[in-house]
Amino acid sequence: MQVDESAAVGTGLNTGGSSKAVLAYEAGLEQRKMMVRVSQVLFAIVFLSFWQWASGRIIDPFFVSSPLAVGGRLYEWTLNGQLWSHLSVTMLATAFGFFIGAGIGFALGLLFGKFAFLAEVMDPFITALYSIPKLALAPLFIIWFGIGIESKIAVSASIVFFVVFLNTFAGVRDVSQIYIHSTQIMGASNWAVLRTVVIPSATAWVITGLKVSVPYALVGTVIGEFMSSNRGIGYIIAQATGLFDTNSVFAGIVILMVVGAIINGLLKKTEGWLLRWKE
Amino acid sequence: MQGAITIEGVDKRYISRGRETVALDSVSLNIQPGELVSFVGPSGCGKSTLMNMIAGIVPMTNGRIIHNGKKVSGINRDVGYMTQADSVLPWRTVEKNVALPLEYRGVRTQERKQRVDEMLKLVELEGFNKSFPRELSGGMRKRVALAQMLAYSPNTLLLDEPFGALDAQLKMVMQQQLLNIWREQKKTIVLVTHDLSEAIAVSNRVVVLSGRPGRIKHIENIDIPHPRDVFKVRFLPEFERAYDSLWEQLSSEITKGESL
């Protein structure tokens, strides 16, 4: 019986030794992956070359800069330490904003998901708060928290909070009653049900919320820096804009792009690991 | 006393779409410790509701259920319950699923591991410790649920169409496994099924419930001695007699349900 079934399943246990067909198949996949990579690099080279060529020929470099000028500026900033000193401020504010917003959003999402009455009572108020464009709160946060890092943390936390809160809430409401009842019968306390059933089951929703909210945290911080600050990547971009220094503006944007991409990549890895039980 | 279930005048009514429906109507039954009782009946007769009430998931409208000498009110943690639906947690590996009830009881890691291995051996799932449920077939997942339920040794098992989704051969294998466990571990087992042969092959008594409202219509004693071989038991004259008698009781209920 067992032999039949495990053979039918296949994914559970493998035979161990790889056959020729398997090796050929895997080599094919590997080759395709390689082709994609090479094409990506080629595309980037073509794009950057065109930009470099067009700058000064078709378009005025005063407005669009050029890859070499942007690269030069980034190199300069790296050497004189400016890059790190501004980037660290922005990253710190983003990280704090993300963790504070996500933490509160997750906790309240669990609470509201658990107590349906509370959720029903608070529903219109939450909807009202959610409808405020959070960036409109930025001036208020600057009055409250000053032009330092605190106001930027507040802006990004307020954005992240709602995304994570709403996703966690939806995730908790989505948990199957069957799992809750069966674990209760097995002896789970309320806390154990939360830990072993509700949270893991809501993970898919929560992760989606986190993934969406990380770029928002970055946006919140940078917008806060645009408005009023004395450090950070947003500050650099705002300053450079004032001086019509497009080289620096582009350099700032490139930094934000790279940072955003790295964070997204990390989140994707985390998601893959946390949701490895799904197909 | 341990394992005994007394059902006394249990009613279940519920209101849906402005109408009151009677799901169960004054059901009374004594289940002895170590007995294996099956419930059969047309769909919607309240078999599953009755199980849910013994497990304490669903409150009853009238009457009471006494299990292990205690009145059931709220979740009943002295039973093992295998539902029709897949209740194995998909985000936990097989071993972590089986360990779940032990974890809830604060059993030490070392002891837990040992117990899990024992259980997986019992249901013939050794070597699948680290697999996630999605990597297993339906029958294997059912066996994980069985191992999980047996891991904390409840003296009473409630099985709600546990093998309903399995193919005919596998079903018999599982029925035999269930009988072996019942004989070795002296459990009280309540089984809900729509399969008459299954009910007769494993039970001491088969209870026929009528169509809505669910009432106990007939109780058939199955006098086939244990140990039984579920593959051979269906060729015995006692089996045939019980089948005829149960079918007679049940068929009128089914046609009644259809004409509604």
Side-chain angles (χ1 to χ4, degrees):
Chain A
M1 166 183 80
Q2 194 171 350
V3 176
D4 283 346
E5 275 203 284
S6 44
V9 175
T11 44
L13 294 177
N14 271 325
T15 40
S18 319
S19 70
K20 246 185 194 161
V22 172
L23 287 177
Y25 178 73
E26 277 170 0
L29 284 184
E30 204 52 46
Q31 199 179 1
R32 196 188 138 84
K33 234 189 205 164
M34 204 57 203
M35 286 297 287
V36 170
R37 285 264 178 280
V38 168
S39 309
Q40 282 166 342
V41 170
L42 278 178
F43 178 79
I45 290 173
V46 168
F47 175 78
L48 290 175
S49 314
F50 176 75
W51 183 7
Q52 184 66 41
W53 174 83
S55 176
R57 286 190 172 81
I58 309 178
I59 345 174
D60 188 344
F62 180 74
F63 292 110
V64 297
S65 186
S66 72
L68 285 181
V70 172
R73 186 54 47 88
L74 284 173
Y75 184 66
E76 197 181 302
W77 284 350
T78 316
L79 283 189
N80 66 19
Q82 254 197 34
L83 174 74
W84 180 242
S85 84
H86 287 286
L87 183 58
S88 60
V89 171
T90 302
M91 294 288 283
L92 202 64
T94 304
F96 267 109
F98 174 76
F99 283 113
I100 292 172
I104 300 175
F106 182 63
L108 277 186
L110 285 181
L111 191 73
F112 277 50
K114 202 90 183 101
F115 300 103
F117 185 78
L118 179 69
E120 236 169 281
V121 171
M122 295 307 289
D123 181 56
F125 305 105
I126 300 278
T127 312
L129 280 178
Y130 181 60
S131 312
I132 303 174
K134 254 54 74 188
L135 296 180
L137 294 176
L140 194 60
F141 287 144
I142 290 169
I143 296 176
W144 288 350
F145 301 110
I147 64 163
I149 194 171
E150 295 87 351
S151 54
K152 283 84 203 168
I153 293 176
V155 177
S156 53
S158 68
I159 300 176
V160 172
F161 166 78
F162 275 100
V163 180
V164 174
F165 168 74
L166 292 173
N167 272 283
T168 309
F169 178 64
V172 172
R173 300 305 291 273
D174 193 46
V175 176
S176 160
Q177 284 296 314
I178 292 167
Y179 296 145
I180 295 182
H181 284 149
S182 69
T183 47
Q184 279 177 331
I185 290 170
M186 281 188 264
S189 61
N190 282 337
W191 165 245
V193 170
L194 188 70
R195 189 175 58 81
T196 55
V197 179
V198 177
I199 292 177
S201 164
T203 310
W205 288 80
V206 175
I207 286 277
T208 311
L210 292 180
K211 251 174 54 180
V212 173
S213 64
V214 163
Y216 282 166
L218 197 56
V219 168
T221 304
V222 171
I223 298 274
E225 288 172 352
F226 279 173
M227 287 186 180
S228 158
S229 66
N230 45 25
R231 279 174 83 189
I233 302 294
Y235 167 75
I236 292 190
I237 295 177
Q239 286 288 304
T241 309
L243 299 170
F244 284 97
D245 174 7
T246 45
N247 291 347
S248 298
V249 173
F250 272 98
I253 292 171
V254 168
I255 295 170
L256 291 180
M257 186 177 79
V258 170
V259 168
I262 291 174
I263 297 176
N264 267 327
L266 287 176
L267 271 175
K268 236 182 177 168
K269 276 250 155 56
T270 317
E271 181 186 28
W273 185 78
L274 278 174
L275 298 183
R276 65 196 182 287
W277 52 273
K278 284 199 160 183
E279 33 256 292
Chain B
M1 198 60 132
Q2 288 297 300
I5 303 170
T6 311
I7 302 167
E8 283 176 3
V10 166
D11 289 349
K12 179 67 192 175
R13 296 194 201 98
Y14 56 87
I15 293 167
S16 73
R17 292 199 210 104
R19 258 179 39 185
E20 193 182 34
T21 313
V22 183
L24 284 170
D25 187 21
S26 58
V27 171
S28 295
L29 186 72
N30 269 312
I31 297 171
Q32 304 299 322
E35 199 180 4
L36 207 167
V37 176
S38 293
F39 284 94
V40 295
S43 14
C45 71
K47 309 175 288 235
S48 297
T49 309
L50 191 59
M51 293 289 260
N52 283 339
M53 289 195 294
I54 299 172
I57 299 171
V58 169
M60 51 209 96
T61 316
N62 283 312
R64 56 180 194 162
I65 293 175
I66 294 164
H67 173 236
N68 282 353
K70 280 179 296 189
K71 187 173 180 290
V72 176
S73 62
I75 298 291
N76 183 354
R77 297 200 157 139
D78 293 340
V79 297
Y81 192 7
M82 202 162 145
T83 51
Q84 220 170 325
D86 222 333
S87 67
V88 173
L89 300 182
W91 47 84
R92 287 191 158 229
T93 56
V94 167
E95 60 179 1
K96 286 198 159 176
N97 257 298
V98 177
L100 208 51
L102 305 173
E103 209 180 301
Y104 294 150
R105 281 168 174 71
V107 176
R108 280 165 207 273
T109 321
Q110 195 57 39
E111 213 176 313
R112 212 153 71 193
K113 217 180 131 25
Q114 203 181 334
R115 182 80 181 147
V116 167
D117 288 341
E118 258 172 61
M119 288 302 116
L120 289 180
K121 196 170 173 201
L122 183 73
V123 299
E124 296 170 35
L125 277 179
E126 300 138 293
F128 288 92
N129 300 46
K130 307 272 183 216
S131 303
F132 280 102
R134 70 170 162 86
E135 297 164 334
L136 307 179
S137 68
M140 292 162 93
R141 278 205 293 275
K142 280 288 170 203
R143 280 188 274 153
V144 175
L146 190 64
Q148 186 182 48
M149 185 174 72
L150 294 173
Y152 63 106
S153 352
N155 55 36
T156 306
L157 308 182
L158 308 176
L159 311 172
D160 188 359
E161 296 192 17
F163 315 133
L166 307 182
D167 66 67
Q169 289 79 21
L170 191 56
K171 206 170 174 174
M172 286 208 271
V173 174
M174 294 287 288
Q175 287 163 0
Q176 190 63 55
Q177 219 164 17
L178 178 72
L179 269 181
N180 296 345
I181 289 164
W182 174 75
R183 234 162 36 81
E184 280 161 25
Q185 307 190 5
K186 313 253 180 291
K187 310 256 184 217
T188 306
I189 297 181
V190 184
L191 177 76
V192 161
T193 179
H194 56 246
D195 180 348
L196 270 187
S197 317
E198 176 170 281
I200 300 165
V202 301
S203 318
N204 302 116
R205 277 197 292 169
V206 180
V207 179
V208 180
L209 287 177
S210 65
R212 188 160 284 173
R215 295 191 182 101
I216 293 184
K217 189 182 180 194
H218 174 77
I219 298 176
E220 183 82 25
N221 291 310
I222 312 294
D223 300 321
I224 304 169
H226 287 278
R228 296 180 190 169
D229 179 338
V230 291
F231 303 96
K232 291 184 184 144
V233 85
R234 33 206 92 208
F235 305 108
L236 298 174
E238 294 97 312
F239 184 96
E240 205 173 317
R241 217 177 307 126
Y243 199 103
D244 286 342
S245 155
L246 283 169
W247 179 242
E248 197 185 322
Q249 296 289 338
L250 198 55
S251 56
S252 58
E253 291 304 321
I254 290 167
T255 45
K256 193 174 86 185
E258 287 304 309
S259 63
L260 277 175

